[in-house]
Amino acid sequence: MFPSLLIANRGEIACRIAATARRLGIRTVAVYSDADAGAAHIAACDGAIRIGGPASADSYLRIDRIVAAAQATGAQAVHPGYGFLSENASFAEACAEADLIFVGPPPGAIRAMGDKRIAKRLMRQANVPLIPGYDGDDESLAVLRAQALQIGFPLAIKAAAGGGGRGIRVVSEPGEFDAALAACRREAKAAFGDEKVLLERYLEHTRHVEVQVFADRRGACIWLAERDCSAQRRHQKVIEEAPAPGLTPEQREAMGQAAVAAASAVGYVGAGTVEFLVAPGGQFYFMEMNTRLQVEHPVTEMVTGLDLVEWQLRVAADQPLPLRQEQVRFAGHAIEARVYAEDPQRDFLPATGAIRHLLFPEHAAFSVGSSGAAGTQVAPLRIDSAIRRGDVVTPYYDAMIAKVIAWGPDREQALVHLREALRRTIIVGPANNVDFLRRLAGSAEFESGGIDTGWIGRQMRALTDPGDPFELWAVAAALARVLEDEKHQETDEPWSNRQGWRLNAVATRRISLRSGAAGHEVSVEYDRDGPRLDAGAWRGPVRIDSSQGAALRIRLADHLICADVIRDGEALHVFGASGHRVFTLADPLATSAEAEQDEDRLCAPMPGKIIAVHASSGEQVRRGQLLLVMEAMKMEHSILAPHDGAVEEMRYRVGDQVEEGATLVSLRPLGDSAGPVSPAAEAQSGGEGAR
């Protein structure tokens, strides 16, 4: 085994590689960009070296700098992780030329499988089942049109060098073909530097099943379970599981043997994944091969008890595979959910920003066999993440925050563990997909194991519906605010009582809340028998059974409400049984000190772009009325009128860029002719409050 390893990657995979290498007694060196100067993967390694600016083209994609870093630090091997240069044949060759061991397959295998046309030709020779299509060299428009008519519609146009769900266009009829071909070529050229394409019959209602393969330098090649990746949005994976539900033992064995044949056809070495589409009738077809470790490799590790990174390092050190095919054992079921900084309600638009609060459920340390012995017991929950509270999700790299992986003795129990883990995952900061994942994992269709790759697209409305009544969330937010005040009560004297104590009278406190465009008022009445609450349909005596940290257990009449409430500036983040809502306080007691000191300015809460204007100069507006909408950090922020008044001046138009603190609107209170007053803005968004 080599004594020192340079990890040419970042994030959770770099941390994972470092942990395995340390267990094997290998010293590790991290590389980092300026954007990652304080990242977790640096602390996980024994040393680190800067390789450039924040953009990946200036750092993690710079072959010359990474090779130089390995040489400068005395590393004998380089692990590329996944993404970036992991499937770059030129990088593998550069490592070999520098006398560095590349932890991955030979350059020839990478090139063969990196071009979908070449890969299909090799698979045809190896008798691996293929989808009907065209992968010839003649890509003239006339030939491609003729081939499309012969294949039939619908069909898929795919970038030959594509991957990760990019460079794909589905064409439903001949009249759409030319435009789709041109668009696919443009995207392929921009993303992969190669505009070559291939055509395939588009199979509807298919499942995406992939097989983990492993090969050593001695010619041995085996398969280590299959994974179902059918839960996808925009051709990109969301949830993966092993084993694939619903496959017969015969289908599973046939798919495993086909995957081994595919890997052997290109002289493969190391970890790889052969991907198949499975038609409703059970027939499977080769789609592509990923010549690297996959993001979803933990589910295979949890059902085999094996450490695939350790296997990679051993194979790279010219050791034989630790197991033969007949020695591989599978136990239980594992499911992985990818937590991303993205907005499902805006077509999964990536989000950026600081992680201001982060809580994952407690989990046992991941445990696998150290030498490849199968059957080692694994924990029911594993969290792979390199994001910490205070870290910033930047626009430079993948927006994944964590992978939540659950194991159970069967699929039903694995799903129970996954749902509970997602329920207890709390993130305050950029928009994220945790609620979406919870609804997906909790849906009857997903539980049945019968979804196909287009299912998420057909179910978006249901998967983005908050579920619980709005008032129920508002109750938790209001009571959390009341509790916060009571905790700051200085003495037991009635004069400092934060419950609004009155001599010989009943005090009532009204808390106004907004969530997006919706508003609600919650009243708390303090009588001698205890507080009573009125939140519309939800009213009656209220009792807080427990309050530990952010967790609340509230009894309202005959209802039990359990929620976690996180205060972030003027925003209250409520995490309940069916997800997450954000409220902004419109209560005078919740007005920030800054707003009290400078009420005459309605300002932009952050730099952004005006995307909608809903009022005009001279118009009379009511308190809470929407005036304009800003887009900032890929999120929308609604600017509301803080009181009744007349618009004196709308200072910006749609499309204008505004700086943080810029005065957006001047309001004149009704009946006031003394000149314009510019009260502070009240900004709302799905995850951000005014600060």
Side-chain angles (χ1 to χ4, degrees):
M1 189 71 70
F2 35 81
S4 182
L5 172 73
L6 183 126
I7 303 173
N9 215 296
R10 62 180 301 278
E12 51 84 23
I13 184 58
C15 293
R16 169 65 208 288
I17 295 167
T20 295
R22 180 178 298 109
R23 180 164 55 78
L24 296 175
I26 300 172
R27 178 180 178 272
T28 55
V29 179
V31 295
Y32 66 92
S33 70
D34 291 342
D36 282 339
H41 76 276
I42 297 176
C45 293
D46 300 303
I49 186 167
R50 176 187 175 275
I51 53 171
S56 56
D58 295 329
S59 51
Y60 296 104
L61 293 177
R62 287 291 300 267
I63 294 175
D64 56 341
R65 293 181 183 176
I66 292 176
V67 170
Q71 293 174 322
T73 56
Q76 288 79 37
V78 175
H79 196 309
Y82 44 67
F84 295 132
L85 296 170
S86 61
E87 294 181 282
N88 188 302
S90 297
F91 181 46
E93 289 173 338
C95 288
E97 291 171 2
D99 201 24
L100 296 168
I101 297 171
F102 178 75
V103 183
I110 297 176
R111 283 200 172 90
M113 287 302 189
D115 187 315
K116 288 183 171 61
R117 298 186 310 167
I118 296 174
K120 290 194 72 169
R121 295 166 190 172
L122 289 170
M123 296 306 100
R124 192 174 291 114
Q125 295 173 6
N127 295 318
V128 177
L130 293 174
I131 302 171
Y134 174 73
D135 52 60
D137 292 324
D138 189 343
E139 292 196 18
S140 64
L141 182 58
V143 168
L144 291 179
R145 281 175 178 168
Q147 289 294 329
L149 291 173
Q150 183 176 335
I151 294 166
F153 294 86
L155 65 79
I157 307 172
K158 293 185 176 182
R166 293 180 296 174
I168 300 175
R169 294 291 187 279
V170 178
V171 185
S172 300
E173 57 186 42
E176 302 172 356
F177 182 79
D178 288 7
L181 174 63
C184 187
R185 280 177 162 165
R186 285 194 302 270
E187 183 178 351
K189 183 69 174 177
F192 312 111
D194 186 344
E195 65 177 11
K196 292 192 293 291
V197 299
L198 56 86
L199 308 180
E200 288 181 346
R201 181 65 187 268
Y202 182 72
L203 303 177
E204 298 183 282
H205 304 295
T206 56
R207 294 169 60 191
H208 183 165
V209 179
E210 61 189 24
V211 179
Q212 177 73 60
V213 295
F214 237 103
D216 61 23
R217 300 182 188 278
R218 292 163 166 76
C221 184
I222 64 174
W223 62 279
L224 299 173
E226 81 288 349
R227 302 185 287 255
D228 191 302
C229 308
S230 300
Q232 300 180 7
R233 83 286 192 272
R234 295 181 307 172
H235 306 292
Q236 294 179 324
K237 302 166 186 175
V238 176
I239 288 183
E240 302 96 357
E241 57 183 305
L247 290 187
T248 66
E250 292 76 19
Q251 288 174 314
R252 183 169 287 113
E253 180 67 25
M255 203 173 292
Q257 291 182 3
V260 169
S264 300
V266 294
Y268 201 78
V269 174
T273 305
V274 182
E275 307 201 16
F276 299 97
L277 286 179
V278 182
Q283 178 60 44
F284 63 89
Y285 303 94
F286 173 83
M287 184 169 59
E288 64 183 5
M289 182 177 186
N290 288 300
T291 54
R292 54 175 167 80
L293 195 67
Q294 292 275 81
V295 176
E296 58 274 20
H297 74 274
V299 297
T300 297
E301 293 184 326
M302 293 187 83
V303 297
T304 60
L306 305 173
D307 185 332
L308 299 190
V309 174
E310 178 182 339
W311 276 40
Q312 283 188 298
L313 298 176
R314 292 190 179 280
V315 167
D318 201 22
Q319 296 182 12
L321 292 179
L323 297 175
R324 299 187 303 275
Q325 187 69 66
E326 63 271 17
Q327 294 175 304
V328 178
R329 298 289 181 269
F330 309 116
H333 199 98
I335 310 178
E336 173 182 299
R338 302 188 190 188
V339 178
Y340 278 97
E342 63 183 11
D343 191 346
Q345 294 185 328
R346 300 182 64 195
D347 195 26
F348 301 97
L349 186 70
T352 60
I355 303 291
R356 295 188 297 279
H357 188 89
L358 181 65
L359 179 66
F360 292 119
E362 294 182 2
H363 61 286
F366 178 55
S367 173
V368 295
S370 61
S371 61
T376 302
Q377 185 175 2
V378 297
L381 183 63
R382 167 178 169 182
I383 309 294
D384 283 13
S385 178
I387 297 290
R388 304 156 300 183
R389 181 174 181 175
D391 285 349
V392 176
V393 178
T394 73
Y396 302 111
Y397 315 119
D398 185 83
M400 189 166 66
I401 295 173
K403 299 184 298 190
V404 178
I405 312 105
W407 180 91
D410 53 36
R411 187 172 188 268
E412 181 180 3
Q413 287 300 308
L415 266 175
V416 168
H417 291 311
L418 179 68
R419 292 166 183 159
E420 177 64 13
L422 292 171
R423 186 189 70 80
R424 294 165 57 198
T425 296
I426 295 176
I427 302 171
V428 174
N432 62 78
N433 67 338
V434 172
D435 286 357
F436 171 82
L437 292 171
R438 291 170 64 177
R439 297 182 192 114
L440 196 165
S443 68
E445 293 91 341
F446 185 80
E447 186 172 5
S448 72
I451 71 168
D452 58 66
T453 56
W455 179 79
I456 285 180
R458 300 191 299 269
Q459 299 294 322
M460 278 303 298
R461 183 182 295 274
L463 295 174
T464 54
D465 183 0
D468 283 345
F470 177 77
E471 294 88 350
L472 197 62
W473 303 74
V475 165
L479 289 179
R481 184 68 182 94
V482 169
L483 276 178
E484 185 178 15
D485 282 346
E486 292 179 359
K487 288 177 181 178
H488 289 87
Q489 181 172 323
E490 297 175 359
T491 70
D492 292 332
E493 297 179 357
W495 317 111
S496 64
N497 191 303
R498 297 293 185 103
Q499 295 182 344
W501 174 83
R502 301 289 187 274
L503 180 63
N504 297 322
V506 175
T508 300
R509 178 175 180 182
R510 292 179 175 83
I511 300 176
S512 297
L513 300 165
R514 296 196 66 85
S515 180
H520 199 74
E521 188 169 277
V522 179
S523 296
V524 181
E525 183 179 276
Y526 298 95
D527 64 20
R528 62 188 59 194
D529 295 325
R532 295 181 61 83
L533 187 139
D534 186 347
W538 300 82
R539 63 182 64 189
V542 64
R543 184 176 79 248
I544 298 176
D545 282 356
S546 64
S547 173
Q548 297 181 349
L552 292 176
R553 283 176 57 88
I554 303 164
R555 291 197 177 273
L556 173 59
D558 296 328
H559 303 283
L560 176 64
I561 305 170
C562 299
D564 291 273
V565 184
I566 307 294
R567 176 92 179 255
D568 181 37
E570 299 305 317
L572 289 169
H573 293 256
V574 181
F575 297 85
S578 63
H580 169 218
R581 275 203 190 243
V582 185
F583 293 88
T584 299
L585 296 159
D587 182 352
L589 292 177
T591 303
S592 68
E594 179 181 351
E596 290 177 353
Q597 294 169 6
D598 192 9
E599 310 190 305
D600 61 346
R601 300 184 62 212
L602 195 155
C603 304
M606 60 189 69
K609 179 181 179 181
I610 304 300
I611 61 173
V613 174
H614 294 275
S616 57
S617 297
E619 180 180 344
Q620 290 190 3
V621 296
R622 308 295 295 178
R623 181 180 185 273
Q625 182 174 332
L626 180 63
L627 301 181
L628 53 82
V629 181
M630 286 180 56
E631 184 178 59
M633 290 169 53
K634 301 181 180 178
M635 300 178 66
E636 293 184 3
H637 302 260
S638 299
I639 307 301
L640 311 175
H643 57 70
D644 296 353
V647 177
E648 182 77 6
E649 181 183 7
M650 296 292 294
R651 300 194 178 189
Y652 293 92
R653 296 178 297 180
V654 172
D656 288 347
Q657 295 286 341
V658 298
E659 297 296 326
E660 182 175 357
T663 301
L664 302 174
V665 184
S666 295
L667 285 179
R668 183 179 67 247
L670 294 179
D672 184 358
S673 59
V677 178
S678 303
E682 188 175 347
Q684 309 292 331
S685 74
E688 298 279 332
R691 288 188 287 282

